[in-house]
Amino acid sequence: MSSTQTTEVGALIDGIASGRVEVVELTQPLSEATPVIKLPPPFANTPGLSREEISRYDDRGPAWAWYTLTIGEHVGTHLDAPIHWVTGKDGADVASIPITSLVGPACVVDKTAETEQDPGYLLTAADLEAWEAENGRMPDGAWVLFRTGWGVRAQDEAAFLNVGDSGPVTPGPDVEASRWLAQERRISGFGVETVGIDAGAAGGFDPPFPLHNLLLGAGRLGLTQLANLDRLPITGALIVVAPLRLVGGTGSPTRTLAFVPRG
Ligand code: MN
């Protein structure tokens, strides 16, 4: 069945088989060691992952092993649904997000060098306009992926959360970039390598956590703790976001992958 496919899906199947299309893993491994966000008092915090044995090839189940998971919705590589934020409370839960929003073109905004210089780098609307001047308008249904190099810290909680004397120091969009992303284009969502879609300092912005406020309030989606963004082209990849279809869910751990053309 090589090179005889006549449909677009057939071409994709052929491409994967031949290596002209690479499937790239964008999901961080999920374990008891996966870092989770830590809010300051008086706010409640989420548990990370823990698991309890139901049986393990023993008297409780001689031929099988299985576990009960305890996990917050917002742990590891995960999706933020509109209802995660009060501004989006009348929007979609995870189960009712249109699946067309979960598949789309990836627009990679690379600020790795800037983040190396300043780990609290704030993405601006001017950065997004400059990206478009070089790469064209972000298409409807795009996933904007903020590449910062932060993913290499993902297995080291202290380095990943990067909490200093005045709070967490991690990159993210400023208020104007948040407004631009939520209102100026019809993107499906915004994905990051850090623990949350807003910058570490965003609790002190006006409004606080502007991307959560504006993007989820506009019915769009967030995606966090992504891996391997350095393996994506700036444009040309197709992203697939696969959360649990959790009824009433405000978010969900999410397998995420990309189809990337290679030569
Ligand atoms: Mn979240």
Side-chain angles (χ1 to χ4, degrees):
M1 293 247 294
S2 65
S3 303
T4 58
Q5 303 280 3
T6 57
T7 69
E8 286 80 358
V9 173
L12 180 61
I13 292 168
D14 277 355
I16 293 168
S18 69
R20 293 193 311 279
V21 176
E22 182 186 1
V23 185
V24 173
E25 177 66 81
L26 299 184
T27 320
Q28 294 287 357
L30 178 62
S31 77
E32 286 79 350
T34 295
V36 296
I37 197 166
K38 289 181 174 51
L39 302 179
F43 304 119
N45 272 296
T46 180
L49 171 67
S50 61
R51 60 191 127 186
E52 183 184 349
E53 217 172 77
I54 300 171
S55 70
R56 187 173 174 80
Y57 325 123
D58 55 26
D59 292 347
R60 299 168 298 173
W64 52 91
W66 52 347
Y67 297 85
T68 300
L69 303 182
T70 300
I71 188 170
E73 293 169 313
H74 298 259
V75 173
T77 302
H78 74 269
L79 184 85
D80 287 351
I83 66 164
H84 178 45
W85 216 252
V86 64
T87 49
K89 64 182 168 57
D90 297 323
D93 65 352
V94 181
S96 53
I97 292 168
I99 55 170
T100 50
S101 299
L102 299 176
V103 178
C107 297
V108 176
V109 179
D110 184 4
K111 295 297 173 189
T112 305
E114 289 80 355
T115 303
E116 276 173 15
Q117 292 297 311
D118 172 9
Y121 181 77
L122 295 181
L123 181 71
T124 67
D127 289 336
L128 297 165
E129 301 276 8
W131 187 97
E132 287 198 335
E134 197 166 330
N135 300 289
R137 187 182 171 94
M138 291 178 181
D140 291 358
W143 274 88
V144 180
L145 304 179
F146 184 34
R147 180 197 286 165
T148 57
W150 208 264
V152 299
R153 303 173 182 234
Q155 307 307 318
D156 177 340
E157 182 172 84
F160 186 69
L161 299 178
N162 202 38
V163 178
D165 291 339
S166 53
V169 180
T170 60
D174 71 8
V175 174
E176 186 59 20
S178 299
R179 192 196 62 76
W180 193 98
L181 289 161
Q183 297 173 7
E184 294 298 320
R185 298 293 180 271
R186 298 178 62 186
I187 65 171
S188 285
F190 187 77
V192 300
E193 297 174 66
T194 48
V195 76
I197 59 173
D198 268 296
F205 294 178
D206 181 19
F209 307 104
L211 192 61
H212 282 88
N213 182 304
L214 297 166
L215 191 72
L216 302 182
R220 314 299 169 72
L221 309 172
L223 187 57
T224 76
Q225 275 171 269
L226 292 168
N228 297 324
L229 290 190
D230 59 332
R231 292 174 59 194
L232 298 185
I234 298 302
T235 62
L238 174 69
I239 184 174
V240 179
V241 182
L244 300 177
R245 196 176 181 193
L246 181 63
V247 175
T250 74
S252 168
T254 298
R255 196 67 182 257
T256 305
L257 55 87
F259 296 106
V260 177
R262 299 292 185 210

